[in-house]
Amino acid sequence: MDIALLSKTYKDAGIVGAGGAGFPSYAKLNDKAETLLLNCAECEPLLRLHRQLMTLCAKEILEAFDLTRETLGAKEGIICLKSHYTDAIKAVESELGNYPKLKICKLDAVYPAGDEVVMIYEATGKVVRPGGLPIECGVIVYNVETMYNAYRALKEKPLTDKLVTVAGEVKSPITVRVPIGAKLKDVVDMAGGVTTDDYVYWVGGPMMGVVKGAGDVVTKTTNSVFVLPPEHYLLNRLNSELKIEIARAAASCCQCQLCTDLCPRHNLGHPIEPHKIMRAAACNNFSDVKAFMNTFYCCSCGVCELYSCPQGLSPRKLINLVKGGLRSEGIKPDPTVKAGEVEKNRPYRKVPITRLIARLGVSGYEAEAPLDNKVRAVDEVKIMCSQHIGAPAVPCVKQGDKVTRGDVVALAKEGALSVNIHASICGLVTEVNEKFITIKAMR
Ligand code: SF4
Ligand code: SF4
């Protein structure tokens, strides 16, 4: 297969990064790649879906991964898993004999092991330039579920469903495969329903997740839904007011620098220094322009505010404020900035996932959440036209149309970074606009 055909296959099938922000997979294909990484690190605490999928479908995943590697002419493929994912590692090892160019890299059980920049360093020893792309150092990273979806695309099956771990205040934590566009409430019901009267839906992992409503829906990047009581620590931190956080920085930041010392990007030589932003906020002194420009190199992992700070302050929140302000003024990161030396104490500054889970107050939510890989039925889906980085897809169906699962309902926007979107159930199109398409099931 050549790169153009592989690119068309991934674009037409709607394949996007399933583990993160939804970058269209076809746009990553690049013949300058020397190494492909398969991310099965399951970066966030409590998630289960990636290791479970690898355990069940290593054959399919490795086939697509190696075909992608071979098509690009990359010399090696490295499968990155945490060392305690013993079942997933066994499943990979049982297939590796068929793929001489693939090997395993076992990662420590630390956060954020799945961050691209961190993973590339662990697997290859290379440091991606601050603000740069992995391909600049000859690396492309694909998520494990993305490669499973790529396998199906190569068998002419477009992307119509998503694996989601459901845990927290639910009766039976589970990992389910649901049609894209399924309502969060329907997905949570698949875990036996909630066990508390008052709750919120926390979508994504504990470190980087957001709160959504029951009517919000699963997209191509929804990895997990946690049902949390409204008084949970994570919600208190998420909802704390910015002006109060600035006042707290002024009152309590002792400039211990722990937030910087434990910052995973800082320890790889990236010039992000959260304590300097806190200092500026505390002193109302904004003369250190470099510190502000360096906020571009924060990946919002949350280590500084949810783990490092002994005072419970919120450097990430302030950094996000600065970053947003710079972007809204059209200011971009300096492309000439290079990474410094990797911090020599970095091995001792990693954040153990077990301690992080305890710190976040989510130990009680650790559960096996067994995988059910059969697509669950739902009565209705609301399929968003923007589920990926780039331009939203453009609807190509109208109200009253009958569609079959897998039919294209929105086309990749021409001339832009975009992918097709497909019907995730068989049914009747009941509403179409530029933002979403709803389909009612016809069984
Ligand atoms: S860790 Fe907390 S107290 Fe220490 S410098 Fe950072 S924000 Fe300030
Ligand atoms: S969120 Fe904090 S710890 Fe994470 S990269 Fe940004 S500054 Fe560093």
Side-chain angles (χ1 to χ4, degrees):
M1 184 176 284
D2 64 20
I3 296 182
L5 181 57
L6 189 63
S7 174
K8 181 172 167 18
T9 304
Y10 288 176
K11 184 173 183 178
D12 288 352
I15 309 302
V16 304
F23 192 82
S25 301
Y26 77 90
K28 279 190 177 182
L29 298 171
N30 189 316
D31 62 5
K32 290 193 178 68
E34 294 166 6
T35 304
L36 256 62
L37 298 190
L38 185 60
N39 185 346
C40 190
E42 204 122 62
C43 194
E44 284 265 9
L46 305 186
L47 268 60
R48 290 284 182 274
L49 68 166
H50 296 143
R51 69 190 94 164
Q52 290 168 333
L53 184 65
M54 182 61 101
T55 305
L56 196 66
C57 302
K59 185 174 185 304
E60 292 83 351
I61 293 163
L62 264 52
E63 187 179 317
F65 183 55
D66 198 53
L67 183 141
T68 307
R69 179 204 61 74
E70 193 178 285
T71 304
L72 298 180
K75 69 175 193 311
E76 63 178 352
I78 306 177
I79 302 144
C80 301
L81 307 108
K82 292 202 181 110
S83 53
H84 65 286
Y85 293 178
T86 44
D87 291 345
I89 289 171
K90 254 190 233 155
V92 172
E93 283 173 344
S94 71
E95 294 295 329
L96 270 188
N98 300 320
Y99 301 105
K101 300 276 175 66
L102 302 188
K103 63 180 181 185
I104 292 180
C105 170
K106 292 183 190 171
L107 304 166
D108 294 336
V110 297
Y111 178 84
D115 172 62
E116 270 192 351
V117 175
V118 171
M119 179 173 283
I120 289 169
Y121 179 72
E122 295 286 349
T124 70
K126 295 176 180 175
V127 176
V128 179
R129 173 179 68 80
L133 293 171
I135 193 63
E136 292 173 25
C137 54
V139 180
I140 300 175
V141 184
Y142 282 113
N143 162 269
V144 65
E145 191 181 4
T146 309
M147 273 299 116
Y148 179 71
N149 294 335
Y151 170 84
R152 296 196 296 181
L154 290 161
K155 305 287 177 205
E156 298 180 5
K157 285 192 187 143
L159 178 52
T160 57
D161 47 60
K162 181 75 188 74
L163 275 185
V164 182
T165 295
V166 190
E169 300 287 342
V170 293
K171 282 193 188 123
S172 311
I174 191 168
T175 301
V176 276
R177 186 171 285 286
V178 296
I180 288 167
K183 286 195 189 110
L184 296 184
K185 182 190 176 316
D186 292 343
V187 178
V188 168
D189 284 347
M190 292 170 196
V194 297
T195 53
T196 175
D197 292 337
D198 210 4
Y199 54 88
V200 298
Y201 295 112
W202 181 278
V203 173
M207 294 297 283
M208 297 176 77
V210 292
V211 172
K212 298 245 178 174
D216 282 315
V217 296
V218 169
T219 71
K220 293 178 180 184
T221 61
T222 307
N223 283 330
S224 55
V225 186
F226 294 101
V227 177
L228 296 179
E231 67 278 7
H232 193 276
Y233 170 74
L234 288 175
L235 284 147
N236 289 337
R237 296 304 305 270
L238 185 76
N239 295 331
S240 66
E241 270 186 60
L242 197 57
K243 66 174 189 227
I244 293 177
E245 288 303 333
I246 293 171
R248 291 182 69 225
S252 315
C253 178
C254 59
Q255 286 293 291
C256 65
Q257 297 195 27
L258 265 177
C259 50
T260 295
D261 288 346
L262 297 186
C263 170
R265 292 286 179 105
H266 177 83
N267 283 326
L268 283 173
H270 286 205
I272 170 76
E273 294 175 292
H275 76 282
K276 290 195 177 167
I277 296 300
M278 297 302 276
R279 184 192 298 166
C283 304
N284 209 15
N285 177 349
F286 304 103
S287 59
D288 187 357
V289 175
K290 214 166 153 198
F292 283 83
M293 285 300 290
N294 287 341
T295 58
F296 278 122
Y297 311 125
C298 161
C299 66
S300 288
C301 70
V303 165
C304 52
E305 74 181 27
L306 292 171
Y307 186 82
S308 313
C309 182
Q311 314 279 16
L313 304 178
S314 299
R316 176 174 60 173
K317 210 167 235 182
L318 270 61
I319 287 169
N320 284 345
L321 175 74
V322 174
K323 257 195 292 189
L326 292 172
R327 285 201 184 114
S328 68
E329 292 299 319
I331 297 168
K332 295 198 168 124
D334 179 354
T336 64
V337 169
K338 292 194 168 50
E341 291 291 306
V342 173
E343 169 58 48
K344 67 177 187 318
N345 288 320
R346 179 177 178 272
Y348 314 107
R349 293 182 176 181
K350 294 181 181 178
V351 175
I353 209 98
T354 44
R355 288 187 63 192
L356 180 63
I357 285 173
R359 190 76 59 94
L360 298 174
V362 293
S363 307
Y365 299 140
E366 276 217 275
E368 278 307 308
L371 168 65
D372 176 0
N373 205 29
K374 211 166 124 240
V375 183
R376 297 293 187 105
V378 294
D379 292 333
E380 187 181 51
V381 291
K382 178 179 172 186
I383 301 173
M384 307 309 289
C385 296
S386 180
Q387 303 185 37
H388 49 259
I389 285 182
V394 181
C396 58
V397 289
K398 57 185 186 321
Q399 193 177 353
D401 284 354
K402 281 185 186 163
V403 289
T404 300
R405 187 164 75 155
D407 288 351
V408 176
V409 292
L411 285 161
K413 190 174 168 62
E414 265 187 54
L417 182 67
S418 189
V419 294
N420 286 348
I421 289 179
H422 304 78
S424 57
I425 58 173
C426 300
L428 190 69
V429 175
T430 52
E431 191 175 352
V432 181
N433 58 46
E434 61 183 18
K435 292 214 166 99
F436 61 83
I437 297 151
T438 54
I439 303 170
K440 260 206 180 325
M442 287 186 346
R443 297 196 187 108

